[in-house]
Amino acid sequence: MRTPRLPRWTATLTWKAAVFITVMCCALAALLGALVHAAVTRQTVEESRGKALDRLTEATAAYEGGAPLPRYAGVDPPGLPAALRDVAVGGKRGTVVSSFEGHPTMWAAGPADGRAIAVRVDHTQSANTIDGLDRAIVGSSGLAIGATLLVGAFAVTRVTRRLHLTAQVARRISAGDLDARVNDPRTEDPSRRQDEVATVSGALDTMASSLQGKLLSEQRFTADVAHELRTPLTGLTAAAELLPEGRPAEMVRDRVRAMRSLTEDLLEISRLDAGSETVDLEVHQLARLAERVVRSSGTDTEVRVAGDAAVETDRRRLERVLGNLVSNAHRHGRPPVVLTVNGPVVTVTDHGPGYPEYLRAHGPARFRTEGGSKGHGLGLTIAVGQSAAIGAELRFTNAPEGGAVARLTLPEYVRFDDDSPHLAPEGER
């Protein structure tokens, strides 16, 4: 049997503060109420007891002098509590609060020739006073708890609102909005004393500014290096073409092509980092586009179509993503490499050692590869960036039986009428 789970709102700071304030107020009200009740009750009972004992003294004197007893006194009167009668017969005086004819009564009794002489004092007013006091204590405690809750909720809400704002800014920064700042007024004015929330907000703003500066510097460095490399690479390409045919010339041309490819990858990454890319969306049949990518790659990749779908995407960018995933699977995995289309989802699997732990947890890192494998870690970085640009989700996992699994989920084209979707011409696919 599953244990029922509390609603999510019960985990909020506001709820916890409200529960804490309520419990503390109730505990304090109960403690103060009990103390006041005990003190007033003791005082009231002592006054009634003193009055009853005075009357008992007067009644005892009248009994011993042979005078008639007052109407409130009697020897073994009816209604006398048995316990008090036993005390009086035993030769001692005592008092007790009991009920007589439906009214609270203070009894006092003493010995009288082997019997009990007793007097009674009406205790109704004192009991009503105590009851009224108890009701006043309960009412005032309820009002005090309500007022305290309102004030506490207002104070806590002000703090939680600032915490929520800080959390929202942190999420915006993690999503890529490096211009997001909390801008807590307490941190901007040095003369104002800062609380803990302001300290956290200021630290977050400082961290965001530092992170933004480092990322912008990295982006500028990557873009500058790529641009500076293009000119000498153009000259190297031209010079390599002038070399006489042979193995040395082939090696030079191969290295120049590799450097040109690396430079173009760096330029593409710098554009993705800068967010300056524009997306040209069109509707395409995903299976045909995937088959086109595999044919263009020239690799031995199996294509499986479990279900085709029309997707609205940028063909060039999607081909770039799929091409990089297929190329990476052949370069770092082992055959067979399978590309599967199932609706708007494309999966590229291989039977190699799988993706490393850092990549599955945090995504690809540029210029980082595992072991002695070849490459610069840019292919998957570009795939992730281009996927985000076209609104697709790219995830990296490993199959239970072994092998890397790259899963690309594309936004599916949705028709709002009965007309067929406008597909890109066959020549463009």
Side-chain angles (χ1 to χ4, degrees):
M1 182 176 179
R2 295 182 60 183
T3 303
R5 301 183 63 180
L6 295 175
R8 294 184 61 182
W9 54 266
T10 58
T12 61
L13 182 60
T14 303
W15 165 254
K16 293 179 180 179
V19 172
F20 176 77
I21 292 173
T22 302
V23 171
M24 293 303 297
C25 287
C26 290
L28 182 61
L31 176 62
L32 293 177
L35 292 176
V36 173
H37 173 84
V40 173
T41 301
R42 183 172 59 252
Q43 181 181 0
T44 303
V45 170
E46 288 297 332
E47 291 178 355
S48 297
R49 179 181 290 112
K51 185 177 181 180
L53 290 176
D54 290 342
R55 287 187 176 184
L56 178 61
T57 300
E58 295 174 0
T60 301
Y63 175 78
E64 292 175 350
L69 295 178
R71 60 181 179 80
Y72 54 78
V75 178
D76 291 335
L80 179 65
L84 182 59
R85 184 181 183 281
D86 293 340
V87 171
V89 171
K92 296 181 180 179
R93 304 174 70 184
T95 58
V96 67
V97 177
S98 182
S99 178
F100 180 72
E101 296 181 351
H103 301 285
T105 302
M106 173 66 74
W107 290 90
D113 298 331
R115 294 185 297 174
I117 183 173
V119 298
R120 62 179 181 272
V121 176
D122 187 16
H123 196 64
T124 303
Q125 184 176 357
S126 299
N128 291 338
T129 301
I130 295 174
D131 291 341
L133 175 65
D134 291 342
R135 288 193 295 271
I137 291 174
V138 173
S140 60
S141 298
L143 291 175
I145 292 173
T148 305
L149 270 177
L150 290 176
V151 175
F154 174 74
V156 173
T157 303
R158 292 189 62 187
V159 175
T160 55
R161 188 183 299 115
R162 294 166 59 199
L163 288 175
H164 283 310
L165 176 60
T166 304
Q168 290 174 1
V169 171
R171 284 191 288 266
R172 288 171 56 191
I173 294 173
S174 64
D177 184 6
L178 299 181
D179 293 324
R181 298 291 185 273
V182 180
N183 292 327
D184 194 307
R186 292 169 180 78
T187 61
E188 297 178 353
D189 187 359
S191 63
R192 300 184 63 177
R193 300 185 63 179
Q194 296 188 13
D195 56 10
E196 288 79 1
V197 179
T199 302
V200 173
S201 302
L204 179 64
D205 287 348
T206 302
M207 181 197 69
S209 299
S210 177
L211 178 62
Q212 184 179 32
K214 291 180 179 179
L215 290 178
L216 291 177
S217 297
E218 180 181 340
Q219 293 172 10
R220 285 194 297 269
F221 175 77
T222 303
D224 292 344
V225 168
H227 281 290
E228 291 297 327
L229 285 176
R230 297 186 77 176
T231 300
L233 280 176
T234 302
L236 280 175
T237 303
E241 295 298 329
L242 298 177
L243 294 176
E245 294 297 330
R247 179 61 179 166
E250 182 181 349
M251 294 177 61
V252 171
R253 294 190 188 103
D254 179 67
R255 291 298 87 195
V256 170
R257 283 194 296 269
M259 291 189 66
R260 286 183 64 87
S261 176
L262 174 60
T263 302
E264 294 301 324
D265 286 347
L266 289 175
L267 284 172
E268 187 170 356
I269 288 178
S270 67
R271 289 192 297 267
L272 290 171
D273 288 341
S276 58
E277 297 285 335
T278 57
V279 180
D280 184 15
L281 297 179
E282 288 184 343
V283 180
H284 299 271
Q285 288 299 131
L286 186 56
R288 295 179 182 177
L289 196 147
E291 292 171 350
R292 172 190 173 93
V293 171
V294 172
R295 288 195 304 269
S296 301
S297 68
T299 59
D300 185 14
T301 303
E302 179 184 355
V303 179
R304 299 175 183 174
V305 180
D308 198 3
V311 294
E312 188 173 15
T313 187
D314 187 316
R315 179 185 59 81
R316 182 185 66 82
R317 298 182 188 279
L318 179 56
E319 288 181 348
R320 176 70 157 147
V321 173
L322 295 180
N324 283 10
L325 294 179
V326 170
S327 175
N328 184 80
H330 282 281
R331 182 181 295 114
H332 301 289
R334 287 195 296 267
V337 176
V338 181
L339 186 149
T340 304
V341 179
N342 188 2
V345 180
V346 181
T347 305
V348 179
T349 59
D350 62 59
H351 293 73
Y355 292 117
E357 176 62 28
Y358 82 87
L359 192 148
R360 299 196 306 272
H362 307 290
R366 62 193 69 173
F367 297 107
R368 175 173 179 175
T369 55
E370 291 295 303
S373 59
K374 297 180 180 179
H376 304 281
L378 299 182
L380 294 183
T381 302
I382 293 174
V384 171
Q386 294 290 13
S387 299
I390 61 178
E393 180 184 17
L394 179 58
R395 290 189 176 184
F396 302 99
T397 58
N398 288 336
E401 64 276 8
V405 179
R407 180 185 177 90
L408 179 68
T409 304
L410 293 153
E412 188 171 5
Y413 178 78
V414 179
R415 291 184 299 174
F416 294 97
D417 50 36
D418 294 331
D419 298 333
S420 299
H422 173 70
L423 300 177
E426 182 67 28
E428 295 183 9
R429 301 193 215 113

